Amino acid sequence: MKIPNIEKLTKIKIVSFTEAFQMSKLVETMTKIPSIFNDVLGPVMRGPSSSHSAAALRIGRLARDLMGGQLTKVVVEYDPTGSLVTTHESQGSDLGFYGGLMGWETDDPRLMDFRAEILKAGIEVETRYLAYGAKHPNTYRLTLINQQGKRRLEAISTGGGMIEVKEIDGVPLKMAGDYFETIMMGEIPDDVYEAEFFEEIHHHSEGGVTMTQGCSRSYPSEELLEKIRGSMGVSSVVVLHPVLPVLGRKKVEVPFLTVREMIEYRESQEGKLELWELAMCYEAARGGITEAEVFAKMEELVEVFESSISSGLGGTDYEDRILPCQSGGFEKKLSEGALIPGDVLNRVILYVTAMMEMKSSLGVIVAAPTAGSCGALPGAVFGVSDALSLGKEERVQAMLVAGLIGVFITSRATFAAEVAGCMAECGSGASMAAAALTGLVGGTLEQQLGAASQALQNSFGMTCDTVANRVEAPCLGKNVMAASNALACSNMALADYQHLVPLDQVIGAMHQVGELMPREICCTGLGGLAVTPASREIEEKLRSLPKVN
């Protein structure tokens, strides 16, 4: 079926949940099939923001590959109508982008010294602000230069560290970073492709420039590359490495992509699968791996979560941040009995704070589903599981539940605050955590879905208006609020409170609300708390300090 112009559709003011759900189904057809480990939980990273730091690093790595690993100068252009003009320095785009240009991973310890390292690497980076009609608020338009010549690349950050390359050398294409991408410039004879090697082959042409894009799950052999280079009319061949942990596959089929489809699938199976088991079933199909491998991958992430919280509780320090280390003081007051009683909630607050302080000190964290909202989900899950003396297996199962709820959200909405405010980040985190907590204490599948629905409903319209353009305040408070929302909604669901609106429809409505939110309160630093006198004063103080790194 031919899909109508989605840009025009998303400008329509929708007035009912039914229409919002219909809209969400159209959006679903426009997106790829999410992976829990690509799109929802991860990357394991350093930096204040996944949509800035991790995404920019991934874009930088692809840019480096496009130039054969050799760069002398990069010009990056940001459109003033987007979010990056006001946030690329303070929210970690520079940190991530520079690291990517040097070929680093998202958790590389050298990111702490990215400015000094880019100078050592001999790569000049020039930043320009230029109105060029960018359609997405997180657009990177790059000119890449080395001794062999110059190339252009345009890419966007879509939220949670995910990216999409939109153009190479002015030729439109689509690249998510989940394949080895062989980019062949010129007329390529059909017999050269070895179609059995490539998962997908795409032909592109624009303004007299012809390009062929071959997608594969492994690096092409030297024999194949030489064969392509030797073809008449071929001007260049370059291979871009994948930047995502779960690779794409030809004709990916998953058992379900909506809550309704999942329930139908569950009914068709022998026995009643738990939500965490359905998550394993989904991710195994999406990634082409076994369910045991899915469980093992989540175990690895759980260990990173545990380490981050433990390190955060030990105290953190970093010069370029607004808030001091506050988790130690909270823990002391808690032990002294100086806080309002509520052991579980107070433990959750403590863990959320520790995780957010790790992020702000450039410690290693897991974006869950983003770096800006990295505290709510693990703070809630690990706070409750520690209070109940639950083990690693229960934590892994809870995180699988959270991951599947995230799949439902990102398949038809977004995790990007630049698109839908903090509703997309902390709202999603609250929904994921609510389902996870409900499953953690033995709630039914219906109760888990009800908790997720209620928590997301409670989050509609949350602004992203960071103080002094740092991902610290009110981010800490909103992460605590999201975790508290999750805890409350879990208990309400366990008590059989009615959530009224099915989760699928809530996600559709979330997409609608995001479309209606003004850009000034969507991570641009142009409205709300970001423009208060206090925020401006803090920003001026930070600006007067020598740049860190």
Side-chain angles (χ1 to χ4, degrees), residues 339-391:
L339 304 179
I340 296 172
D343 178 62
V344 176
L345 179 57
N346 283 330
R347 186 187 295 267
V348 166
I349 294 171
L350 177 63
Y351 286 11
V352 171
T353 305
M355 185 67 79
M356 294 298 288
E357 290 176 349
M358 278 294 285
K359 172 197 64 64
S360 296
S361 64
L362 296 192
V364 175
I365 55 130
V366 180
T370 69
S373 61
C374 70
L377 170 60
V381 168
F382 289 86
V384 170
S385 61
D386 278 357
L388 299 177
S389 300
L390 300 178

Side-chain angles (χ1 to χ4, degrees), residues 91-359:
Q91 295 192 17
S93 290
D94 289 355
L95 173 148
F97 185 54
Y98 289 21
L101 294 178
M102 290 180 281
W104 298 349
E105 298 290 340
T106 51
D107 61 346
D108 196 301
R110 292 172 293 180
L111 285 166
M112 306 284 282
D113 301 307
F114 71 97
R115 294 190 192 280
E117 293 293 335
I118 199 78
L119 291 175
K120 290 181 187 177
I123 303 172
E124 178 187 353
V125 181
E126 179 183 347
T127 302
R128 298 175 182 173
Y129 304 150
L130 179 67
Y132 50 85
K135 295 180 180 179
H136 192 280
N138 290 341
T139 300
Y140 295 74
R141 193 165 82 168
L142 312 177
T143 301
L144 310 166
I145 303 168
N146 64 16
Q147 293 180 348
Q148 283 69 49
K150 178 188 299 186
R151 302 197 74 166
R152 300 290 297 270
L153 183 148
E154 185 170 309
I156 61 173
S157 160
T158 58
M162 299 298 287
I163 64 165
E164 183 180 323
V165 176
K166 307 292 288 186
E167 291 184 9
I168 290 179
D169 294 337
V171 179
L173 49 69
K174 187 172 182 179
M175 184 188 301
D178 58 349
Y179 278 119
F180 289 88
E181 302 273 3
T182 303
I183 304 299
M184 301 163 271
M185 304 299 294
E187 297 286 348
I188 315 295
D190 292 341
D191 63 348
V192 169
Y193 299 134
E194 294 191 16
E196 68 276 7
F197 172 76
F198 291 113
E199 294 274 312
E200 299 177 13
I201 294 175
H202 304 286
H203 304 282
H204 311 284
S205 183
E206 183 76 17
V209 178
T210 301
M211 176 189 300
T212 299
Q213 173 189 4
C215 309
S216 59
R217 289 173 59 85
S218 60
Y219 196 91
S221 67
E222 282 304 315
E223 291 78 10
L224 175 56
L225 292 176
E226 285 302 317
K227 183 179 179 182
I228 296 171
R229 293 188 185 106
S231 300
M232 290 186 61
V234 176
S235 59
S236 71
V237 180
V238 65
V239 181
L240 281 58
H241 292 72
V243 294
L244 298 182
V246 178
L247 297 184
R249 291 189 303 118
K250 188 176 183 179
K251 297 180 180 178
V252 174
E253 293 184 4
V254 291
F256 48 80
L257 196 55
T258 67
V259 176
R260 182 175 59 183
E261 291 171 355
M262 179 194 70
I263 292 172
E264 292 172 354
Y265 174 80
R266 183 175 185 248
E267 292 297 324
S268 72
Q269 303 298 300
E270 291 186 12
K272 296 296 184 184
L273 296 174
E274 300 291 341
L275 196 52
W276 67 269
E277 293 174 313
L278 289 162
M280 289 206 302
C281 177
Y282 173 91
E283 187 63 22
R286 168 60 181 83
I289 57 179
T290 66
E291 292 187 6
E293 289 174 306
V294 173
F295 198 90
K297 280 180 176 289
M298 190 60 78
E299 272 189 311
E300 292 174 3
L301 289 186
V302 164
E303 289 172 1
V304 178
F305 281 124
E306 291 173 339
S307 175
S308 298
I309 291 173
S310 176
S311 296
L313 291 174
T316 58
D317 183 46
Y318 190 66
E319 184 177 349
D320 188 25
R321 64 195 252 191
I322 300 172
L323 297 172
C325 180
Q326 300 175 115
S327 55
F330 189 93
E331 189 170 28
K332 182 174 183 292
K333 292 291 185 181
L334 181 61
S335 65
E336 293 171 349
L339 304 179
I340 296 172
D343 178 62
V344 176
L345 179 57
N346 283 330
R347 186 187 295 267
V348 166
I349 294 171
L350 177 63
Y351 286 11
V352 171
T353 305
M355 185 67 79
M356 294 298 288
E357 290 176 349
M358 278 294 285
K359 172 197 64 64

Side-chain angles (χ1 to χ4, degrees), residues 445-455 457 489 493 497 499 501 503:
L445 181 140
E446 291 75 15
Q447 289 172 330
Q448 291 171 72
L449 295 175
S453 171
Q454 187 66 60
Q457 290 180 47
C489 289
Y497 277 47
H499 60 279
V501 185
L503 182 57

